[in-house]
Amino acid sequence: MSRTFLRDDAKSVEWAVSDAPVGYEDAVAAMEARAAAIAEGRADELIWLLEHPSLYTAGVSAKPSDLLDPDRFPVFHTRRGGQFTYHGPGQRVAYVMLDLRARARDVKAFVTGLETWIVAALAALGVSGEIRPGRVGVWAPRGAREDKIAAIGVKLRRWVSFHGISLNVAPDLTHFNGIVPCGISDHGVTSLADLGAGTSMAGADAALRDAFHPVFGPTVDSSPPVVSGGSS
């Protein structure tokens, strides 16, 4: 299967970064509005990079028993694929709003493209990221064990994607203890900082952007979506 997922017309994807944390519900509302506008031809594709305040999200496959500490952080039920995950400071979330009608209507190839993107970004930061069949996300081998460093959870509506990926740059890893991350209890969670590959968020962003181009095509600077209460 091809590891690239390029547009037929090579049109640039808008690339936006929010400097301040964005509330989860505000972000989802803005993301869904943008995805709808893309589907209707009123807006261009967008990659939106941000951080959230500390919270847990439950995907459509989440099991209630995997929420170990329900009072620790706010819990949001979401329509993305997957199970429980944590978002918070030090973790880069990239919301991916791409029009698969202009690329290929192939969900499996799309997820492969997301995995390829993350692995390439990690390599640029000095970390070996690997994919494991049956375990969504990207994993970092650590001797006798391997820990998750990036998660993927996407949804498609009218062949436009939303939600996306999260990369652990330097979050508080103890915050993952309140859930069974992605329903997998026999593996841990790690970060760039935990692996000794510390970088700034801006450094992680640069690696993500450089690695995006060969897989999904060129990007152009843009402003983040407007969220409730003003511009993010």
Side-chain angles (χ1 to χ4, degrees):
M1 179 185 297
S2 172
R3 294 182 179 273
T4 62
F5 210 72
L6 302 171
R7 283 184 65 103
D8 297 334
D9 58 7
K11 186 176 183 179
S12 294
V13 177
E14 293 187 8
W15 188 276
V17 181
S18 288
D19 295 325
V22 181
Y24 186 75
E25 291 178 312
D26 289 340
V28 169
M31 173 179 56
E32 291 197 351
R34 179 60 177 255
I38 294 169
E40 295 164 7
R42 298 184 287 105
D44 291 331
E45 296 177 308
L46 174 68
I47 304 297
W48 182 18
L49 275 60
L50 53 81
E51 290 175 271
H52 285 305
S54 292
L55 56 92
Y56 297 130
T57 66
V60 295
S61 301
K63 301 175 183 177
S65 60
D66 286 345
L67 181 58
L68 306 178
D69 189 353
D71 299 322
R72 187 167 191 173
F73 298 123
V75 179
F76 296 93
H77 292 270
T78 176
R79 287 173 284 185
R80 63 157 172 80
Q83 302 185 46
F84 277 104
T85 193
Y86 165 78
H87 294 313
Q91 182 192 74
R92 177 52 89 205
V93 173
Y95 286 131
V96 178
M97 290 157 271
L98 298 180
D99 188 350
L100 272 60
R101 298 169 301 183
R103 298 171 182 275
R105 301 189 190 209
D106 187 328
V107 177
K108 186 174 182 180
F110 177 53
V111 173
T112 297
L114 295 174
E115 293 171 339
T116 302
W117 171 29
I118 298 168
V119 168
L122 289 172
L125 295 166
V127 170
S128 175
E130 299 182 4
I131 309 303
R132 294 290 180 261
R135 282 195 265 135
V136 177
V138 179
W139 301 80
R142 310 187 71 180
R145 77 176 202 267
E146 54 190 16
D147 295 337
K148 194 170 194 175
I149 191 168
I152 298 173
V154 294
K155 184 173 177 62
L156 299 178
R157 184 179 296 148
R158 296 167 65 183
W159 288 104
V160 175
S161 68
F162 54 108
H163 294 284
I165 70 168
S166 60
L167 172 64
N168 295 331
V169 179
D172 184 339
L173 295 178
T174 66
H175 290 176
F176 286 89
N177 295 342
I179 57 172
V180 178
C182 301
I184 298 172
S185 59
D186 52 351
H187 295 279
V189 180
T190 190
S191 67
L192 291 169
D194 185 48
L195 293 170
T199 184
S200 65
M201 193 64 74
D205 290 350
L208 284 168
R209 190 166 187 174
D210 287 345
F212 182 89
H213 296 156
V215 183
F216 293 105
T219 59
V220 60
D221 289 337
S222 183
S223 299
V226 174
V227 298
S228 176
S231 177
S232 62

